């Protein structure tokens, strides 16, 4: 039996609604507490990838760290409407260093 994985975008309304046009499930949230409840629920509902705005990610380090050790969901940080905070790039650099043994970016 095949599993149909979902891809979600979580963040403020302005940052995530454009992803709806790409066919992603969008979850505009009002803040950290709402996202803190939503992410584990999405993980249980066969969500393979969660795009999360950096502005929320800065307050959700414990949740992001928890899912780094899991196969799914992959949490990918994206800039929000206010622009990049550099957290996503730093996270990507760390993942590359873990995978290949040194930074390449």
């Amino acid at each position: 039996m095949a599993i149909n994985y979902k891809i979600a975008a979580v963040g403020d309304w302005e940052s995530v609604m454009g992803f709806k046009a790409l066919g992603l499930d969008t979850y505009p949230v009002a803040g950290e507490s709402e996202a803190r409840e939503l992410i584990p629920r999405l993980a249980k509902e066969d969500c393979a990838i969660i795009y999360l705005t950096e502005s929320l990610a800065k307050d959700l380090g414990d949740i992001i760290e928890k899912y780094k050790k899991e196969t799914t969901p992959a949490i990918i940080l994206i800039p929000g409407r206010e622009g990049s905070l550099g957290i996503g790039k730093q996270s990507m650099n760390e993942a590359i260093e873990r995978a290949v043994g040194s930074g390449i970016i």
Side-chain angles (χ1 to χ4, degrees):
M1 184 167 118
I3 298 174
N4 291 328
Y5 288 106
K6 296 187 284 185
I7 300 174
V10 177
D12 59 274
W13 192 90
E14 293 88 357
S15 298
V16 301
M17 290 314 287
F19 288 96
K20 195 171 203 68
L22 299 173
L24 277 65
D25 294 335
T26 54
Y27 297 90
V29 295
E32 174 214 344
S33 61
E34 210 173 321
R36 190 171 286 282
E37 293 175 15
L38 177 63
I39 292 171
R41 191 180 73 202
L42 290 173
K44 289 179 186 171
E45 295 174 356
D46 295 325
C47 190
I49 300 171
I50 298 173
Y51 290 103
L52 179 66
T53 59
E54 290 178 325
S55 58
L56 282 173
K58 67 181 173 51
D59 298 321
L60 298 172
D62 57 322
I63 290 197
I64 293 168
E65 195 61 37
K66 173 186 175 189
Y67 289 108
K68 278 184 183 177
K69 299 171 186 154
E70 303 292 328
T71 305
T72 58
I75 298 179
I76 300 171
L77 306 183
I78 57 172
R81 62 181 160 84
E82 64 280 335
S84 178
L85 303 176
I87 301 169
K89 183 178 179 183
Q90 178 184 353
S91 176
M92 186 64 71
N93 283 338
E94 291 169 1
I96 291 169
E97 284 182 27
R98 280 193 309 274
V100 298
S102 67
I104 59 174
I105 295 181

